[in-house]
Amino acid sequence: MIACRRSGAVYTVTSTREALKLLFTAWPVAEGKAYFSALEVCDGVAIGKASPEDARLAFIAAADEAKVPYDVVPAAPVSL
């Protein structure tokens, strides 16, 4: 889970689908190597060409490139 803060709003990203939506609709820039890589990798998860971990790393790189502040939130432990 990644929480991005931008313009006073907080977006919680918990899936590659949510990451793609944020990149397309609310990202501050539509350029940059990391931005286009994140689009490609997040889309690649849906067709099995990339892993969710690859997408997470690409999304974080795009946030760094665009200077979008974020926090990586650890997953909640699962009780069995």
Side-chain angles (χ1 to χ4, degrees):
M1 182 183 323
I2 301 168
C4 295
R5 297 177 306 282
R6 183 171 174 270
S7 303
V10 176
Y11 300 91
T12 302
V13 179
T14 60
S15 69
T16 55
R17 182 173 297 203
E18 289 174 0
L20 276 173
K21 182 178 178 183
L22 185 60
L23 289 165
F24 277 122
T25 64
W27 212 245
V29 295
E31 60 186 17
K33 183 177 178 179
Y35 171 78
F36 287 111
S37 177
L39 290 174
E40 184 178 335
V41 174
C42 287
D43 190 49
V45 172
I47 58 174
K49 287 191 171 186
S51 73
E53 179 63 15
D54 293 336
R56 184 181 75 82
L57 294 173
F59 185 82
I60 288 171
D64 288 338
E65 177 182 73
K67 299 191 181 6
V68 172
Y70 63 89
D71 295 307
V72 177
V73 182
V78 176
S79 297
L80 299 177

